[in-house]
Amino acid sequence: MSRNVRRKALPRFGNEEEERAFWAAQDSTEYIDWSKGERIALPNLRPSLKTISLRLPEATITELKMLANRRDVPYQSLLKVFLSERIAQERRLPSSASKKRA
């Protein structure tokens, strides 16, 4: 049931940040006919990484390094795993449970 709707032309973006801001404020159905969309696999796509500065107590870093050493992985990689696991755990909680703990 595809409607003949005239779509708006996509603007040109100077960078990814401009495009991100554009899509955050627009309804994509005015630009894209999602009924014609197809699922694709992108097996070689790597997530964008951003470097941050994080201050942690030295004792925490020491413990993290010891845990990482036992698993034979870099401590920063182990920290990413721990953060990802905790984020997934928090997202599964009902919103009222996370508010009580805050």
Side-chain angles (χ1 to χ4, degrees), residues 49 64 74-87:
L49 299 178
L64 184 61
Y75 80 96
Q76 291 175 332
S77 297
L78 183 60
L79 181 58
K80 286 188 259 184
V81 169
F82 286 169
L83 285 171
S84 294
E85 288 173 353
R86 183 54 189 242
I87 290 168

Side-chain angles (χ1 to χ4, degrees), residues 10-65:
L10 287 173
R12 295 239 183 252
F13 304 105
N15 56 46
E16 190 174 324
E17 192 61 38
E18 284 180 16
E19 184 174 2
R20 189 177 293 117
F22 174 82
W23 288 117
Q26 299 298 318
D27 178 1
S28 65
T29 59
E30 295 178 8
Y31 297 87
I32 300 168
D33 182 358
W34 289 108
S35 68
K36 296 180 182 175
E38 298 177 19
R39 289 201 175 268
I40 61 168
L42 302 170
N44 298 323
L45 185 63
R46 300 176 113 184
S48 299
L49 299 178
K50 181 172 184 170
T51 301
I52 64 166
S53 177
L54 179 64
R55 287 175 174 67
L56 297 172
E58 287 185 31
T60 301
I61 296 171
T62 301
E63 290 289 328
L64 184 61
K65 286 181 177 181

Side-chain angles (χ1 to χ4, degrees), residues 90-101:
E90 289 290 322
R91 293 187 79 187
R92 287 190 297 266
L93 289 176
S95 60
S96 60
S98 60
K99 287 179 185 174
K100 288 178 184 175
R101 294 188 334 189

